[in-house]
Amino acid sequence: MTNTLTVPPPENEDTDQTALLARLTDEVSGVLESMGELSDYLERVVHAVRRAVDGCDEVGVTILSKDRPHTAAYTTVQTLEIDAVQYALDEGPCLEAARTREEQLVVDLCSDDGRWPLFAQASREDGLRSLYAVPLVSGDQCVGALNLYAWATDAFDGFDAALVRVAASRCADAVVAVTALDGMRELAGQLEQAMASRAVIEQAKGVIMAMRGVPEHDAFEILRKASQDRNVKVRLLAEDVVAGVLRGSADPGGAGA
């Protein structure tokens, strides 16, 4: 089983693919001026990648700080669960990609190729079938991995690889640049604070899921669009949504209204 995906020659890419690549590049671009901006940026990256890659169900970013892995951004709590298994077992695609600086691809987790037997067994029992992890490399530094998960087998193709590699490269550059400014020693603390702030976002998603009858991904998209329309950070809008429910508001925070 190959560990890499072959990107089709540029002349074979159609206009739609070119436009999609350009749109993703625009979404994951940007210069961070402080560590405080990193969490929001990584959240933008994971959701942009999930929208761009058709076969992808979940996306996460693993950051290595002092050789310890942290999930710095994720699309849903299922991503957290998959990552937690890898961290607990100290094996899996995101750790392998980050440690070896090599892409890790599995087209069918039910066909165990021996790389991560414990992770493979635990994850396929939960329905995971294919995955793709790309190291976050900028210059001579590797700061983690961008991880894609899917419930279908053989979910990722060569064009998907081109998209993910662009996102991983931009993401790595952003992380390295901001840690050069604020220092790697502050990164772990910033990530822990960011994960704590995610609690209110998860609560707000739950409110929207219950009130509108939509799945988790759609609930986040409602929050994201409302935050863009109102020029308010997602976390602050989420706090408003939760507060609206506590006040008995029929339309929590106006999200998606």
Side-chain angles (χ1 to χ4, degrees):
M1 181 183 300
T2 179
N3 289 8
T4 60
L5 291 168
T6 302
V7 181
E11 60 268 25
N12 292 337
E13 295 181 3
D14 60 25
T15 303
D16 289 342
Q17 288 182 331
T18 302
L20 181 58
L21 181 57
R23 185 164 62 250
L24 178 64
T25 301
D26 182 64
E27 286 188 279
V28 301
S29 296
V31 177
L32 307 185
E33 296 181 353
S34 71
M35 188 79 74
E37 298 176 348
L38 182 59
S39 179
D40 288 342
Y41 169 76
L42 294 178
E43 285 295 320
R44 189 167 84 237
V45 169
V46 296
H47 288 283
V49 170
R50 184 185 177 274
R51 288 192 298 271
V53 180
D54 285 340
C56 179
D57 291 301
E58 306 294 347
V59 182
V61 172
T62 294
I63 298 294
L64 294 181
S65 177
K66 297 180 180 179
D67 294 326
R68 290 184 55 203
H70 304 264
T71 299
Y74 58 93
T75 48
T76 72
V77 293
Q78 285 183 302
T79 319
L80 279 179
E81 293 167 357
I82 297 169
D83 288 351
V85 172
Q86 298 184 68
Y87 303 160
L89 296 173
D90 195 35
E91 68 171 40
C94 72
L95 297 179
E96 191 84 7
R99 290 168 176 169
T100 66
R101 304 188 180 201
E102 295 179 354
E103 296 179 5
Q104 303 297 319
L105 170 69
V106 174
V107 298
D108 185 357
L109 206 58
C110 288
S111 301
D112 186 3
D113 63 4
R115 272 181 283 177
W116 320 291
L118 297 178
F119 166 76
Q121 179 179 355
S123 298
R124 63 174 169 254
E125 289 175 355
D126 291 334
L128 184 63
R129 289 295 175 266
S130 51
L131 51 89
Y132 183 40
V134 178
L136 300 180
V137 178
S138 178
D140 61 354
Q141 296 187 61
C142 182
V143 293
L146 178 61
N147 314 305
L148 283 71
Y149 305 118
W151 310 130
T153 59
D154 200 12
F156 310 113
D157 60 23
F159 181 66
D160 295 333
L163 294 173
V164 178
R165 288 165 186 160
V166 167
S169 177
R170 296 300 177 95
C171 184
D173 288 344
V175 173
V176 168
V178 77
T179 52
L181 290 173
D182 288 353
M184 282 297 293
R185 65 180 181 278
E186 297 184 17
L187 181 58
Q190 288 285 345
L191 293 177
E192 290 174 1
Q193 288 181 353
M195 290 300 288
S197 72
R198 282 284 309 196
V200 71
I201 297 177
E202 297 301 332
Q203 290 174 337
K205 288 196 306 187
V207 169
I208 295 171
M209 290 165 66
M211 296 190 70
R212 304 199 176 197
V214 297
E216 187 174 352
H217 286 298
D218 291 349
F220 182 84
E221 286 302 307
I222 290 172
L223 273 176
R224 185 182 66 85
K225 185 177 185 305
S227 74
Q228 290 178 336
D229 293 343
R230 296 171 57 178
N231 195 27
V232 176
K233 287 187 175 182
V234 172
R235 177 180 56 80
L236 296 178
L237 182 60
E239 291 175 354
D240 195 22
V241 169
V242 174
V245 172
L246 295 176
R247 291 193 303 264
S249 169
D251 183 15

